[in-house]
Amino acid sequence: MAVFIAGHRGLVGSALVRAYAALGTPVLTRTRQQLDLRDAAAVSRFIGEAKPRIVIIAAAKVGGILANDTLRYDFIAENLFIELALIEACRIHRVPRVLFLGSSCIYPKLAPQPMREDCLLGGPLEQTNEPYAIAKIAGVKLIESCNRQHGTDWLSAMPTNLYGPGDNFDLNGSHVLPAMMRKFHEAKLAGDAPVTLWGSGTPKREFLHVDDLASACLHLLANVHAGQVPGDLINVGCGTDVTIRELAELVQRTVGHRGPVVWDAGKPDGTPRKLMDVSRLTGLGWQPKIDLADGIAGAYRWYLDNVEQARR
Ligand SMILES: NC(=O)c1ccc[n+]([C@@H]2O[C@H](COP(=O)([O-])OP(=O)(O)OC[C@H]3O[C@@H](n4cnc5c(N)ncnc54)[C@H](OP(=O)(O)O)[C@@H]3O)[C@@H](O)[C@H]2O)c1
């Protein structure tokens, strides 16, 4: 019985594939063309036949502020379909361990910082990605409720902002770090042309390398069980943040762009600060290993090596 990684071609899923490959653990994968994870009947058939011992839900419709704010129905509906199809199939076919991946955007916009797991549902969400966040909160509650009602041993992990090999560099759908990397890279090639970045640069964000996230997921699956922490929910982050302006300076230096940076203050900033409280995770015995400057340098090397294949 193997591990099924749903969403194995994504940023998170591909890091999980690398982490299991390093251990020599067999992994089951299905592309979207082989198995549309919104199709509950097909998903149930697959899980029933494959009988995985672990299912990691790293498949989701994800994107940046613009995509979340404009494709609001798609972000809530597709994520609910995927979560419900997978979780219900795992319940019916008694999959021993499920790890559901959500996101730090499940916490209220004005949650006390750093955000603890118990601030969930304590206030209004950030408007731009509210539909996505509500789908992810539903996933957390599906996991917790199934544990309570059916005695399953499943967990939810809420990663902070992630980056690394396999990221999405499409400027309409990507997150802040890969979008910046691509903008600086293309501006450098255009003779150090000016780079325009969204917002004021003052919001603070936390970034975790995706290989650190994969290591945390394997640690949780090996060492942590349902009922051990309230809500069966664990934040995954590094516990430190930087301003978007500091991030831009780091990416600009790494890429080697020497042109001007223009901050478009007419564009939304999003939540003023988002830092995870990771004391629950560190108390469970896990620490990140990859520092931000090294991680960004590695991610840029990956981008240069894969510029044609990278999702753009
Ligand atoms: N990236 C981050 O910064 C970040 C931060 C916090 C949490 N997370 C969480 O981590 C999880 C994965 O995110 P990610 O960044 O790895 O996303 P990603 O790179 O976009 O990967 C998502 C994967 O899901 C697959 N997928 C989506 N819809 C599908 C469907 N209907 N049927 C089959 N496969 C489908 C995609 O397949 P295709 O390859 O065919 O498109 C892709 O492989 C999400 O739950 C997200 O909330 C991510």
Side-chain angles (χ1 to χ4, degrees):
M1 289 205 298
V3 178
F4 174 51
I5 301 175
H8 72 287
R9 292 202 293 200
L11 174 66
V12 171
S14 55
L16 288 161
V17 170
R18 286 195 296 279
Y20 278 113
L23 296 177
T25 303
V27 160
L28 282 170
T29 57
R30 288 292 180 276
T31 62
R32 183 195 291 265
Q33 291 70 31
Q34 292 167 320
L35 179 64
D36 184 339
L37 295 169
R38 293 168 300 183
D39 181 343
V43 170
S44 187
R45 251 191 327 272
F46 166 72
I47 297 289
E49 283 165 18
K51 299 194 183 355
R53 69 186 162 88
I54 298 176
V55 170
I56 306 183
I57 305 179
K61 180 174 180 64
V62 308
I65 297 177
L66 182 66
N68 267 279
D69 200 19
T70 50
L71 304 174
R72 296 175 76 87
Y73 177 79
D74 293 354
F75 272 83
I76 187 166
E78 288 196 28
N79 284 305
L80 285 172
F81 278 128
I82 292 170
E83 291 163 15
L84 204 49
L86 280 164
I87 291 171
E88 178 65 354
C90 290
R91 184 188 70 81
I92 291 171
H93 300 292
R94 299 173 190 276
V95 174
R97 310 272 1 238
V98 175
L99 180 65
F100 171 69
L101 288 160
S103 149
S104 61
C105 70
I106 64 166
Y107 295 123
K109 175 171 179 162
L110 300 176
Q113 301 290 326
M115 296 178 291
R116 291 158 47 100
E117 289 87 348
D118 59 14
C119 72
L120 184 66
L121 297 173
L125 298 162
E126 160 65 33
Q127 268 305 302
T128 50
N129 59 16
E130 187 193 64
Y132 177 77
I134 286 176
K136 289 290 169 186
I137 292 170
V140 171
K141 291 295 169 188
L142 284 166
I143 295 288
E144 181 192 6
S145 306
C146 198
N147 287 341
R148 290 247 196 108
Q149 189 182 337
H150 296 289
T152 45
D153 184 10
W154 300 349
L155 299 172
S156 296
M158 295 303 116
T160 188
N161 301 297
L162 303 169
Y163 70 98
D167 218 332
N168 179 359
F169 293 87
D170 171 356
L171 294 179
N172 288 323
S174 66
H175 289 114
V176 57
L177 201 158
M180 264 184 196
M181 192 174 280
R182 177 173 167 191
K183 282 185 181 181
F184 280 119
H185 174 76
E186 291 179 355
K188 179 176 114 173
L189 297 186
D192 286 328
V195 166
T196 301
L197 298 174
W198 276 34
S200 63
T202 55
K204 298 189 86 178
R205 292 288 183 274
E206 177 187 14
F207 296 93
L208 183 76
H209 196 281
V210 72
D211 288 338
D212 266 339
L213 171 72
S215 143
C217 290
L218 269 57
H219 178 86
L220 293 175
L221 284 164
N223 299 293
V224 181
H225 295 279
Q228 211 169 321
V229 293
D232 303 317
L233 168 65
I234 301 123
N235 288 343
V236 182
C238 58
T240 54
D241 55 3
V242 292
T243 65
I244 294 297
R245 198 175 284 268
E246 288 165 338
L247 178 75
E249 287 164 4
L250 193 52
V251 175
Q252 186 182 27
R253 251 197 326 276
T254 306
V255 170
H257 169 266
R258 291 191 173 75
V261 177
V262 180
W263 292 93
D264 181 356
K267 292 287 196 304
D269 265 341
T271 310
R273 190 178 189 205
K274 276 176 79 176
L275 177 63
M276 293 286 214
D277 180 311
V278 289
S279 49
R280 194 173 273 186
L281 177 65
T282 51
L284 294 166
W286 185 87
Q287 299 273 359
K289 292 193 182 63
I290 304 169
D291 120 306
L292 185 60
D294 291 346
I296 289 177
Y300 185 52
R301 277 195 302 277
W302 183 89
Y303 180 67
L304 290 177
D305 290 344
N306 295 275
V307 72
E308 293 309 323
Q309 302 94 298
R311 285 176 287 169
R312 290 150 58 86

